Amino acid sequence: MVTIVDTLKPGAAKPRHPEKAHRPDTPVLRKPEWIRVKAPGSPVYAETKQIVRDNKLVTVCEEAGCPNIGECWTKKHATMMIMGDTCTRACSFCNVKTGLPAPLDAEEPENVANAVAKLGLRHVVITSVDRDDLADGGAQHFVEVIEAIRRRSPDTTIEILTPDFLRKDGALEKVVAARPDVFNHNLETVPRLYLNIRPGARYFHSLRLLQRVKELDPTIFTKSGIMVGLGEARDEVLQVMDDMRSAQIDFLTVGQYLQPTRKHAAIDRFVTPDEFKSYETIARSKGFLLVSASPLTRSSYHADEDFARLRDARSAALMRG
């Protein structure tokens, strides 16, 4: 596991990614036409941004530099990132700030619930930074956020995108007991690339985490995603699909990796839309209830519409027997 030690003097400017500062620059490839998006700027986008600011919230849309922020925020779909804006991990693909996080904000659960109510969300996605510094990895904070949303907006369905809770005994069980509607944890890439791309995590631990959710509560939908374009082979992606189905994962997302800065992992190539369509076809044949595979697919992209489709797919599968 990668641990970040803060050696800067109080008040000194902190680099966003101290562990990447001395890495050599990697080439940034020109994006093809199919990966480009319009810049945000609609009145509803501005309204969503103001609600986020008023409630002192962090969003993964901003922190991770999501290319879909303009589209999603124009629909008032913001993915809340709880437990601060600083992660204890140092994944080479991620643009979220790395370092020693601040203490948890006791008011955050109510602030998130207030924002969900003001945005009028039918479905909300709650994610977080990794908090290896906390005894339970932040599990209890997830529970409090879920409970606060349920009190304020009882009809809103809740999707959580959690850390791996590595070496945090009892943490997963605590979160599952709060009964989110969807439990998402991303495998991110193929096992061979973990040491470089996701060094603080363990592939089979993450896979087992999702399998354990189904063992604890089979009614909770499970979801996971991977990025492509990092140097993975097609056969490796298909093996990850098989591993996910062995863990009874319901929903798979596959999206193009986009390099945040020259200090991050380099893009190996841009996967074509036809290749994404092929991945989707194969994944559906393997038994996933729902698959989203496209260059701009992200974990929470179109999450509200996808949740409705997920429920319908489960109902149809049950009727088929």
Side-chain angles (χ1 to χ4, degrees), residues 59-304:
T59 68
V60 74
C61 320
E62 295 172 292
E63 294 301 318
C66 180
N68 303 315
I69 187 171
E71 178 186 347
C72 293
W73 282 29
T74 297
K75 297 178 181 178
K76 292 190 175 182
H77 297 166
T79 299
M80 317 296 179
M81 190 167 80
I82 60 175
M83 297 192 278
D85 65 353
T86 304
C87 186
T88 55
R89 300 281 175 93
C91 298
S92 65
F93 68 88
C94 184
N95 199 38
V96 174
K97 189 189 304 181
T98 304
L100 293 178
L104 294 178
D105 179 1
E107 296 180 358
E108 185 171 55
E110 290 301 327
N111 288 340
V112 170
N114 289 338
V116 169
K118 288 179 181 178
L119 290 167
L121 298 181
R122 296 173 303 176
H123 184 80
V124 63
V125 181
I126 307 296
T127 188
S128 79
V129 291
D130 275 281
R131 291 297 302 258
D132 296 308
D133 58 311
L134 301 175
D136 69 350
Q140 182 59 36
H141 202 71
F142 263 103
V143 172
E144 290 170 9
V145 170
I146 292 169
E147 291 175 345
I149 294 170
R150 291 248 163 87
R151 286 193 299 269
R152 186 71 189 274
S153 304
D155 294 329
T156 299
T157 50
I158 301 171
E159 178 173 330
I160 57 171
L161 173 54
T162 75
D164 59 11
F165 299 122
L166 186 63
R167 304 185 185 94
K168 306 294 183 183
D169 292 344
L172 174 66
E173 289 77 6
K174 191 182 297 185
V175 176
V176 171
R179 301 204 66 199
D181 296 282
V182 181
F183 192 109
N184 186 0
H185 173 68
N186 288 330
L187 295 185
E188 305 292 10
T189 189
V190 301
R192 177 176 58 83
L193 298 179
Y194 258 55
L195 187 60
N196 178 45
I197 302 301
R198 202 178 174 219
R202 301 293 179 267
Y203 176 81
F204 287 105
H205 170 81
S206 287
L207 194 66
R208 175 60 181 150
L209 183 88
L210 289 155
Q211 183 181 44
R212 181 71 178 138
V213 173
K214 281 294 188 184
E215 292 173 355
L216 292 167
D217 190 340
T219 67
I220 296 176
F221 290 107
T222 50
K223 178 177 176 180
S224 190
I226 61 170
M227 304 169 288
V228 291
L230 281 162
E232 70 291 329
R234 181 180 176 83
D235 286 350
E236 290 178 305
V237 174
L238 302 189
Q239 182 61 59
V240 170
M241 291 182 188
D242 287 338
D243 292 345
M244 286 184 179
R245 288 304 301 135
S246 294
Q248 300 182 53
I249 292 168
D250 298 305
F251 186 0
L252 167 66
T253 61
V254 185
Q256 171 71 51
Y257 167 63
L258 295 176
Q259 184 178 356
T261 73
R262 290 182 179 275
K263 299 297 184 183
H264 285 76
I267 295 175
D268 178 69
R269 71 186 185 97
F270 287 106
V271 177
T272 67
D274 284 346
E275 289 176 274
F276 277 105
K277 191 164 289 293
S278 174
Y279 279 140
E280 180 176 351
T281 300
I282 292 169
R284 288 185 182 280
S285 74
K286 290 180 181 292
F288 289 97
L289 285 180
L290 198 63
V291 181
S292 177
S294 74
L296 290 173
T297 289
R298 296 295 182 269
S299 292
S300 54
Y301 189 42
H302 294 165
D304 57 339

